[in-house]
Amino acid sequence: MAKINANYEAVYILDPALSEEQIAALVAKFKAVVEANGTVSEIDEWGKRRLAYPINDLMEGYYVLMTFTAAAAIPAELDRIFRITDGVMRSLIVCKDQ
């Protein structure tokens, strides 16, 4: 039998040049996307960290970890939004149940 909801983790790296207000707005935007059809367990903002390798000639990024429970379609939509949002340098969504 297929699972209706699963547990996921999303890590995304934001441009460090963004202001605190812009970062807060993006975090709230991504949280709202998940909460439309799921529940957010935790949002852990790691802050500015040095990258292992340069991305777009930047050596730092603002890391955010979001843990949530949602239907299978939500991670695909969240990934699409990550890709089209300015300021998101990298993102990764992982299912914790597998």
Side-chain angles (χ1 to χ4, degrees):
M1 187 167 156
K3 292 182 182 179
I4 296 174
N5 287 335
N7 294 316
Y8 296 95
E9 280 186 347
V11 176
Y12 50 97
I13 305 172
L14 301 176
D15 188 339
L18 296 173
S19 69
E20 290 182 22
E21 294 82 19
Q22 291 171 316
I23 290 173
L26 287 176
V27 171
K29 173 183 175 180
F30 301 140
K31 181 179 177 184
V33 168
V34 172
E35 287 183 335
N37 293 308
T39 57
V40 175
S41 305
E42 179 182 6
I43 295 180
D44 189 13
E45 295 187 33
W46 295 348
K48 286 186 183 179
R49 302 275 176 124
R50 185 167 178 79
L51 300 172
Y53 56 89
I55 300 174
N56 300 333
D57 296 326
L58 297 173
M59 289 303 298
E60 282 190 331
Y62 190 90
Y63 284 73
V64 180
L65 169 69
M66 179 170 56
T67 307
F68 62 96
T69 303
I74 301 305
E77 176 65 13
L78 185 61
D79 189 45
R80 185 187 72 81
I81 292 171
F82 281 149
R83 292 179 192 274
I84 63 173
T85 303
D86 290 336
V88 177
M89 296 167 48
R90 290 284 191 274
S91 65
L92 177 67
I93 302 172
V94 178
C95 182
K96 292 175 31 177
D97 291 341
Q98 295 179 351

